Amino acid sequence: AQSVSQHNHHVILSEAASLELGCNYSYGGTVNLFWYVQYPGQHLQLLLKYFSGDPLVKGIKGFEAEFIKSKFSFNLRKPSVQWSDTAEYFCAVNAVGAGNMLTFGGGTRLMVKP
Amino acid sequence: GAGVSQTPSNKVTEKGKYVELRCDPISGHTALYWYRQSLGQGPEFLIYFQGTGAADDSGLPNDRFFAVRPEGSVSTLKIQRTERGDSAVYLCASSPAGDTQYFGPGTRLTVL
């Protein structure tokens, strides 16, 4: 069965700092990759997704992620965070051909200090 | 347009009781998913419907858990003889077939 690891459980940054959240998965076949965000008191929302094509994917609110197949990674980045980016971030993987469910990482809780 | 809705938003029950959790997917979405999220963890897959049928129920933890989607739209997750370990947020998601999943706000279940 596939698994997803998010290495950073808690990250604290000051506004304008750069962000990179790690995500690694274990599955040898084709994958669809997602980052979801959960703002305080809100439900999970899609931040960006990768199905195929350009491995550098741009999402909403200035976020981007890069799929590196050789490293089984899909790290999330943002050049300059804002206080409003305070949230929990989840990486998720769908193993193509092994069901339509998503396998989620444990999440990274980001706090941005104003 | 309207997103995925779930009712109730909170449910408190006693150990051993039966509970039903409801999910209304986005109109026209053929696929519907249930996940469970325990405190401090990511969501874990429970069951997936394509239309009216359960296409994959491999994530259901045991036979106390059951879900239906009789008309291919609304789904109900049913938990019999609840246990304290069932306490979690139960999430529903829907999608057009094979595409991005959109999540509802969840039902927070507390078993006393």
Side-chain angles (χ1 to χ4, degrees):
Chain A
Q2 57 271 25
S3 64
V4 179
S5 296
Q6 292 182 241
H7 318 296
N8 313 100
H9 298 292
H10 291 89
V11 173
I12 302 174
L13 296 173
S14 297
E15 275 194 315
S18 65
L19 170 72
E20 181 160 2
L21 301 182
C23 173
N24 285 87
Y25 64 92
S26 65
Y27 183 70
T30 303
V31 291
N32 296 325
L33 298 159
F34 305 81
W35 277 96
Y36 283 86
V37 60
Q38 188 165 27
Y39 297 104
Q42 297 187 28
H43 60 277
L44 280 168
Q45 301 172 37
L46 181 70
L47 204 51
L48 49 77
K49 63 184 179 182
Y50 171 82
F51 279 23
S52 64
D54 188 343
L56 184 61
V57 179
K58 294 194 184 298
I60 60 171
K61 303 186 180 186
F63 285 90
E64 65 179 30
E66 184 175 12
F67 171 46
I68 303 179
K69 188 174 181 180
S70 61
K71 294 185 178 181
F72 299 90
S73 70
F74 190 55
N75 292 356
L76 181 71
R77 299 194 292 250
K78 185 170 183 178
S80 176
V81 294
Q82 301 173 310
W83 175 79
S84 59
D85 293 324
T86 294
E88 190 156 19
Y89 294 80
F90 293 93
C91 179
V93 172
N94 166 241
V96 177
N100 285 0
M101 75 288 286
L102 295 176
T103 301
F104 283 84
T108 297
R109 197 173 290 273
L110 171 66
M111 179 184 294
V112 180
K113 298 185 293 183
Chain B
V4 177
S5 63
Q6 293 186 245
T7 53
S9 55
N10 281 282
K11 176 70 177 178
V12 180
T13 191
E14 293 179 344
K15 179 175 177 295
K17 299 290 189 182
Y18 167 82
V19 296
E20 290 190 352
L21 311 179
R22 177 187 168 107
C23 172
D24 279 88
I26 293 171
S27 177
H29 281 190
T30 56
L32 185 147
Y33 308 79
W34 285 98
Y35 293 82
R36 177 168 72 172
Q37 186 174 18
S38 299
L39 196 63
Q41 299 181 21
E44 294 179 308
F45 169 75
L46 295 176
I47 186 169
Y48 152 58
F49 288 89
Q50 182 61 44
T52 60
D56 187 338
D57 65 358
S58 61
L60 294 177
N62 52 58
D63 61 6
R64 295 187 297 105
F65 289 74
F66 188 70
V68 296
R69 194 186 185 200
E71 297 178 357
S73 179
V74 170
S75 176
T76 305
L77 178 66
K78 307 180 181 195
I79 310 174
Q80 298 177 320
R81 304 183 305 279
T82 52
E83 300 177 357
R84 292 194 179 90
D86 298 335
S87 296
V89 176
Y90 289 80
L91 299 170
C92 177
S94 70
S95 76
D99 208 313
T100 303
Q101 295 178 31
Y102 296 89
F103 284 80
T107 293
R108 183 175 298 277
L109 175 66
T110 303
V111 182
L112 301 177

